[in-house]
Structures are given as structure tokens and as C-alpha cells.
Amino acid sequence: MIPAHVPDEPPLTYADSFDIPVLFRNGPADKPRRQWRTAKHKAWSGSDGFPAADGWYAPTTTWREIIKAATEVGRDVTPHLQNQPRYAHGELVARVSPLYAYLGAHPVKPRHPVPGAKGRRLTWNPVYAHGTELSARNAAGYRLGMTMTEWACRSLLGLGQTEHLELGGPVPALHKTFKDPKRTLPDLWGHHEAEELYWLIEAKGGDVGVGTLRKGWAQLAAGSKVLGAYAHRTVLVGASVRPGDDLFLTIDHDLHPGLPPLAPGGSDAADEAAGPGNLEDHLGGSDDALIGAARAQMLVYLALRSAPASQLRTVPVPADRASRHRRSGLTTPLEGDGLTFAMRADARRAATGAEEYTLRAGIRSMGLDDFLSCRIPGTEVHLGMSRKLFAACERLHEEDLAIARRTPGLRAEDQPAADLELSDEAQEERRLTQRRIFREQQEEARPRLRYLLRDAYEQGAASNWSDLLRRPREPELDLVGNVGLLESATPETYLAVSRSDLPPARA
């Protein structure tokens, strides 16, 4: 039973900010003995790469930023959802629900406070500490490790979009070697534009000890041996937490000089580099960034596309994308954005007595755009995107569906009945092979996709939501807003969480 002294009370409401202690070092070592509390931490000043010196840092982030990482990291399941987009909701629930179920927050007083720190850190909550069986703990640790690794690499260190290494890695000529089932390789890879390096990344989560980290380091060494002559960085992230203690990260890293990264297959030399951190910051000048951003948001697109009309709404945000370019993390909280607040107030005043069509045209003339959003059923997370990105995702989905239809063996109904008798391991290997075939065909289509997605993206700016959704009515335009939500946005996406459903302040 949970001890009697643990209060039974609803979560408190507060701005969703937390401090995450992070230790940078050049290789796995023993778990630090509560140095996440006792060491003298450096203030995090923001970076598009690794800090100049190893040691302890104390960056502050938001729950929204963590949920953003959770929704975007992991195996791409969208090839399996071509005909059943509603199941995208289930995958999104699976990615965020362990964090809501098992994480809490508690106040802390470090021995050496960092200026600007919030004095709150994440930890396991009493349900995890006292009532969760081992298999559920292992699953929660996996999801925590993947989420915090994505957060650290992208929000903190400026890495571009991550991808699962199981699909073949960054260099096409090495795909067969990366796919060798006899090799135990790391989880993820990415391309860091500012560093001009590939990153190989392994994620570990839970009560992470040195034995676990050494296994991760060995996985990275195996991946590094495959990547060989190409310049890359190996990154091992341990998201370590025990009941009653603070969540902290160890980031062990090593730099491997070599040949510069290759441009994406069929790349147009005139295409600008995608830039650090967030592909959405560079959609105006990079067709490859547009393809990457659309692919990264396909799960959200499928969830929006399949949501009932009653669950959809559009929320006004400033149309000026530059106001939401990466500065600290990937998302821009909107509750402190005076421009958004003032423009929404102007729109509400103009809305009195106006017809819906006139109103939508009016807010555009005021410099507002309306992003489509919906609450993911089973969660208190609201996800959305701009009409331009939605239109690009729609075109990409059509192309992916055509690939699935013309490729023998990709559909479940094409599988021989005998395959159903295969072991779990054999079935997983077969599914992995299917995903790899699918990804290879996606990459073969890249030169053609550049034009198709660019055209859709530009055409989307002038499209009505009813046309994009192929429905007779426009979604509800929400000018009043929900005071119970903490909202955030990127240049092309929207994310909000419920104030009353954040990790409780006393775990």
C-alpha cells in the first residue's frame, strides 16, 4: 500500500516548468552519488551543440517540451496505418500515457542553487514507487529513456529530426551492414547541421546503473564501427530516477572525425541546409526540410484527419513564423506571448455579429492564422498544425499510400497464412523488413516529392479547412480559448496540455 503520510489530493495547478540536472562526461562511469543535488551546477545558456566543458548543468524546461519529445520519438508506425488512420490516436496515447501515469514533481533545494531555476524537479510518483510491477516499470523506463533522450538531443542540443537506426542508418551504401541482425546497434541517429556531424544515439531509462550504460556504450561502438570513415558523434543518454530522488540525465559522448555527411538521396544542390534543431524553422528555403517535417508530423496528421468533426477546433496564432523560431527548446509557450494575447483580443472584439466566413477572412487580415487541433482521446494533450503543413502531410500520405498499394507483401492480407505461425522474433523481423522496404521506396521518391510537397505547402496557405478535410463545414474557430490549457506552438505545429493534469507538485 502507498504509505499513509502521502496526501491524497488533486494535482496543483502551476506553470509547467521543471529543472533537469544534466551531467556531461566523455564516457560511462559510476552513477554519481546524489551530485544532482550537491554538485555546483552551471547555468544552461542555450546551445546548438555540446557545451564547451563537461560537468553538471541545470537547464529548465516545460512539460509541453517533454510531451513534444514523447509524441515524436520512436519507431515510425505510420506505414501500418495507411488504411486505418484512427489508430494513430492509440499510438499517441501509448507514447504519452506512461509519463502521465508514473511521473510526479517535487520541490528541491540544491546545495548550490542556479539563478533562474524553478526549484521543481521530476521524480517517480507514489503509484510507481509502491504499486507498479516490474514489467510495467521496465516499460515506463523505456518510454522515459526515449523521451528524455529526444528532449536532450533536440530541445537542448539542437539536433535535427531523429530516426530509428533499424531502418538502415544515414549512409545508403552502409544500409545492409546497419541492418545486420547479428549486430546490436544503438537506437537512433540524426544529423546535426551546426556541428556538421551524424549523431549515433542510445537511450537508457529507469534506475540506470553503470552496467546498463556500458552495454549502451558497446552498442554505440558497434554503430560507430559501421559508420567508420564518416564524421560522427556518439551520444549515450541515461535518464536515471529512483522513487524519492530527482530525475537527472547523464550524457556520455565521444567525437569521431572523418568525412562530411552526405546530402539526402537525390538532393538538389540549390536546396539550403535544413538548419539546427527544428526543421520547421527552414521550410521556406529547404524542400528536404519540408519532407522531413511532414514525415515527422504524419502521426499527428493521421490523428487530425480521422478525428470526428465534433472534436476538431481551430486556434488563432500569429501568422509570423519567425516569432516561434527556435530560441530555447522547440516550442514557444503562448501564455507569456503578449503578441498572441493582444491579437486574439482584437479578433474577439471583431467577432461580434460577424459571419463565420467573414470572421475567418478577418483574422487573416489581422495577421492571425488558425491552426487545426484536437484533444487526443484518453489524454489531456491537444495537438495540431497549420493548414500549410497539413496540406503537405496530405500529399505525402497520398504518395505513401500509393507505395503501400503497389509493393507486394506490405499489406497484412498479402502475408501467407503460414506466417501467422511464426515466432514473435520471426514476425518482428518480417515487420522490420517491410518497414525497410517502405522507407527505401520513400527515399527513391524523394526527388519527385520535393516538387509535390512544395506545391501542396504553398497551395495550403490559401485553402479552407473544409476543403483540406473534405468536409462540408469548417471546424469551430475558438477565439475564447480555454483558461485550463497551457498552449505552445512551433512555426507549424500546436501543442497544449491541461493545467490541472500536470505532474503533482508533491510526489
Side-chain angles (χ1 to χ4, degrees):
M1 294 177 64
I2 295 175
H5 70 270
V6 176
D8 183 19
E9 58 186 8
L12 303 181
T13 58
Y14 48 78
D16 63 332
S17 297
F18 310 94
D19 307 316
I20 308 288
V22 181
L23 173 61
F24 290 89
R25 57 190 186 181
N26 60 8
D30 290 337
K31 180 184 292 186
R33 295 181 177 273
R34 292 187 63 81
Q35 291 175 11
W36 53 90
R37 288 279 184 92
T38 60
K40 189 172 183 179
H41 290 53
K42 303 180 185 72
W44 185 260
S45 58
S47 171
D48 281 333
F50 271 74
D54 284 347
W56 281 100
Y57 293 81
T60 296
T61 191
T62 65
W63 187 242
R64 282 162 282 184
E65 198 79 10
I66 292 171
I67 294 300
K68 175 78 169 173
T71 61
E72 294 186 5
V73 69
R75 179 176 285 170
D76 180 13
V77 302
T78 57
H80 304 291
L81 304 177
Q82 298 300 317
N83 295 317
Q84 291 84 18
R86 291 189 179 185
Y87 286 98
H89 294 272
E91 176 64 20
L92 289 165
V93 171
R95 294 184 180 196
V96 304
S97 59
L99 307 180
Y100 274 98
Y102 295 129
L103 282 178
H106 58 188
V108 298
K109 291 184 178 180
R111 186 174 298 175
H112 304 282
V114 174
K118 300 300 180 180
R120 288 188 298 269
R121 295 181 183 175
L122 294 171
T123 187
W124 291 129
N125 66 22
V127 175
Y128 178 97
H130 302 285
T132 304
E133 62 185 42
L134 181 60
S135 57
R137 290 187 177 207
N138 290 338
Y142 166 79
R143 181 50 58 189
L144 178 70
M146 292 293 285
T147 297
M148 297 311 298
T149 295
E150 179 84 352
W151 170 80
C153 290
R154 300 201 63 220
S155 296
L156 205 61
L157 299 173
L159 182 68
Q161 198 69 43
T162 60
E163 298 187 42
H164 251 273
L165 196 61
E166 66 184 13
L167 295 182
V171 180
L174 301 175
H175 278 191
K176 289 185 179 180
T177 312
F178 273 120
K179 297 173 187 176
D180 186 349
K182 297 179 181 179
R183 295 177 181 269
T184 304
L185 299 173
D187 293 314
L188 306 167
W189 73 273
H191 182 204
H192 200 292
E193 290 287 346
E195 288 200 335
E196 297 184 342
L197 295 171
Y198 295 125
W199 282 18
L200 298 179
I201 308 155
E202 175 62 18
K204 301 295 183 186
D207 187 6
V208 181
V210 67
T212 300
L213 292 177
R214 285 175 178 162
K215 289 179 182 177
W217 201 247
Q219 291 171 254
L220 286 166
S224 182
K225 186 176 180 180
V226 174
L227 199 50
Y230 292 93
H232 62 280
R233 186 185 288 277
T234 49
V235 181
L236 173 61
V237 180
S240 188
V241 60
R242 293 190 296 183
D245 268 334
D246 311 338
L247 168 66
F248 70 94
L249 305 187
T250 54
I251 300 183
D252 303 316
H253 59 97
D254 196 10
L255 187 62
H256 305 263
L259 299 174
L262 302 176
S267 180
D268 183 350
D271 193 37
E272 295 180 10
N278 193 359
L279 295 175
E280 297 170 37
D281 292 348
H282 308 276
L283 299 190
S286 172
D287 293 338
D288 285 318
L290 179 56
I291 293 172
R295 202 167 296 291
Q297 297 302 322
M298 282 299 291
L299 197 60
V300 176
Y301 160 78
L302 292 174
L304 293 169
R305 157 63 66 200
S306 61
S310 61
Q311 296 179 7
L312 293 173
R313 67 188 183 112
T314 60
V315 292
V317 296
D320 179 14
R321 267 68 177 164
S323 67
R324 299 187 297 279
H325 280 182
R326 170 186 166 88
R327 291 180 178 87
S328 176
L330 298 179
T331 63
T332 300
L334 296 184
E335 69 271 12
D337 184 351
L339 176 63
T340 298
F341 182 83
M343 295 180 79
R344 285 179 172 180
D346 290 343
R348 284 194 296 271
R349 285 191 289 270
T352 306
E355 295 184 359
E356 183 174 301
Y357 178 82
T358 304
L359 177 58
R360 289 183 184 273
I363 69 165
R364 288 198 192 187
S365 68
M366 298 167 65
L368 285 167
D369 195 359
D370 55 329
F371 281 24
L372 183 70
S373 77
C374 75
R375 181 179 67 82
I376 303 305
T379 76
E380 289 301 324
V381 176
H382 300 245
L383 298 175
M385 66 177 66
S386 72
R387 66 187 73 234
K388 295 171 71 175
L389 184 56
F390 188 95
C393 287
E394 172 84 358
R395 194 70 183 91
L396 184 60
H397 177 59
E398 292 172 357
E399 294 299 310
D400 285 351
L401 190 57
I403 290 174
R405 286 170 174 165
R406 69 172 180 260
T407 304
L410 280 184
R411 300 184 307 168
E413 52 264 40
D414 293 336
Q415 304 305 317
D419 284 0
L420 300 177
E421 305 300 322
L422 295 174
S423 66
D424 289 346
E425 292 77 9
Q427 289 191 48
E428 175 62 16
E429 182 61 30
R430 178 173 58 79
R431 285 190 289 267
L432 177 57
T433 299
Q434 292 169 350
R435 287 194 297 273
R436 287 169 174 167
I437 293 171
F438 195 86
R439 175 51 61 88
E440 288 169 359
Q441 296 211 27
Q442 287 176 323
E443 287 304 306
E444 288 178 6
R446 180 180 287 270
R448 188 166 56 89
L449 287 177
R450 286 191 178 89
Y451 168 76
L452 294 175
L453 264 65
R454 176 60 59 187
D455 181 64
Y457 180 76
E458 300 299 341
Q459 293 293 328
S463 300
N464 294 322
W465 277 116
S466 57
D467 295 331
L468 292 172
L469 291 165
R470 300 172 192 165
R471 296 179 180 180
R473 293 181 58 83
E474 290 279 291
E476 177 189 356
L477 175 59
D478 184 4
L479 290 177
V480 177
N482 184 341
V483 295
L485 290 182
L486 289 166
E487 300 176 285
S488 63
T490 68
E492 304 291 344
T493 69
Y494 173 86
L495 185 151
V497 299
S498 170
R499 290 178 184 268
S500 60
D501 207 32
L502 297 170
R506 286 187 291 276

